[in-house]
Amino acid sequence: MTDSYFTIAGSSSGEYSEKRSKFLAFAFHVESTDAVKELVQRYEREYYDARHVCYAYMLGHRRENFRAVDNGEPSGTAGKPILGQINKSELTDILIIVVRYFGGIKLGTSGLTNAYKQATIDAIAAAQIEERTVDVQLSVSFEYPLMNDVMRVVKETNPRILQQDFQLTCIMKLQIRKSEVVNLVNRLSQVRGVTVELESEECD
């Protein structure tokens, strides 16, 4: 079961020059298309004098939400090599923007592809790579006399306690790594009178 993924912490930058053209690369940790849109618009405004502002992103631990944008460069010469390096590095929840300042000499399709690739490589190399886990949230309810039995299981399996309300009927919100959820649910289910309900899958 794959319950971890790699992303970057914060942001980083890189640069590549070829025949007086400059390629400025900026990498960001993002978790939504709204965040992508906001950053792209910001950099289009900031680098309004650049010839092209191209980008690619990958979202979600399943790495199924992605896009590559050439923004006026010949098809497949900008967004695709950026996305290719994201894939090669097995990263997700990442946006990479590459700003091009034209130097007056055409690079050709192979030259463009290599330039966007190298700028992206430089930005990724400067980034702090993090491995994160895919977690599952669950709700546990039980009567107060079962408190000691439930807390024993919680202590031994070590989920993150998100919320707890200990009254006559007790409710706990827990979060645990996806690969460990079956063991936790089985252990809690062995305590007669405990109800466990799986809620949502979260990227941590």
Side-chain angles (χ1 to χ4, degrees), residues 57-60 63-66 83 86-87 91-94:
Y57 65 81
M58 179 74 68
L59 296 173
R63 307 183 76 249
E64 296 173 345
N65 186 356
F66 57 88
L83 185 62
I86 292 174
N87 279 323
L91 296 171
T92 191
D93 286 350
I94 183 172

Side-chain angles (χ1 to χ4, degrees), residues 46-200:
E46 183 172 348
Y47 293 91
Y48 65 92
D49 57 339
R51 176 67 67 92
H52 301 281
V53 178
C54 308
Y55 65 94
Y57 65 81
M58 179 74 68
L59 296 173
H61 68 273
R62 294 187 180 90
R63 307 183 76 249
E64 296 173 345
N65 186 356
F66 57 88
R67 189 182 179 197
V69 176
D70 294 316
N71 192 23
E73 293 282 32
S75 179
T77 62
K80 187 175 179 180
I82 297 170
L83 185 62
Q85 292 309 304
I86 292 174
N87 279 323
K88 186 175 181 180
S89 301
E90 298 183 338
L91 296 171
T92 191
D93 286 350
I94 183 172
L95 162 69
I96 298 182
I97 299 172
V98 180
V99 176
R100 181 194 180 189
Y101 282 96
F102 184 52
I105 302 174
K106 292 185 177 181
L107 303 182
T109 55
S110 61
L112 281 173
T113 299
N114 183 64
Y116 280 100
K117 172 184 172 182
Q118 294 301 327
T120 302
I121 289 173
D122 200 40
I124 291 175
Q128 179 184 340
I129 308 296
E130 291 186 345
E131 182 176 11
R132 300 191 181 187
T133 60
V134 179
D135 295 340
V136 174
Q137 292 183 7
L138 54 152
S139 176
V140 183
S141 59
F142 52 93
E143 298 302 312
Y144 192 84
L146 299 175
M147 171 74 72
N148 288 341
D149 292 333
V150 171
M151 294 308 296
R152 185 180 303 112
V153 173
V154 170
K155 182 178 180 181
E156 292 172 355
T157 54
N158 198 33
R160 182 185 303 173
I161 300 174
L162 302 178
Q163 181 182 340
Q164 52 190 15
D165 183 10
F166 296 150
Q167 297 186 33
L168 186 59
T169 298
C170 303
I171 298 175
M172 297 182 71
K173 302 285 188 181
L174 305 176
Q175 182 170 305
I176 194 166
R177 187 167 178 164
K178 190 174 182 179
S179 59
E180 300 171 2
V181 71
V182 172
N183 178 55
L184 174 59
V185 171
N186 287 342
R187 292 285 306 278
L188 288 170
S189 297
Q190 290 172 7
V191 182
R192 184 173 296 179
V194 171
T195 300
V196 182
E197 180 180 348
L198 295 179
E199 294 192 342
S200 61

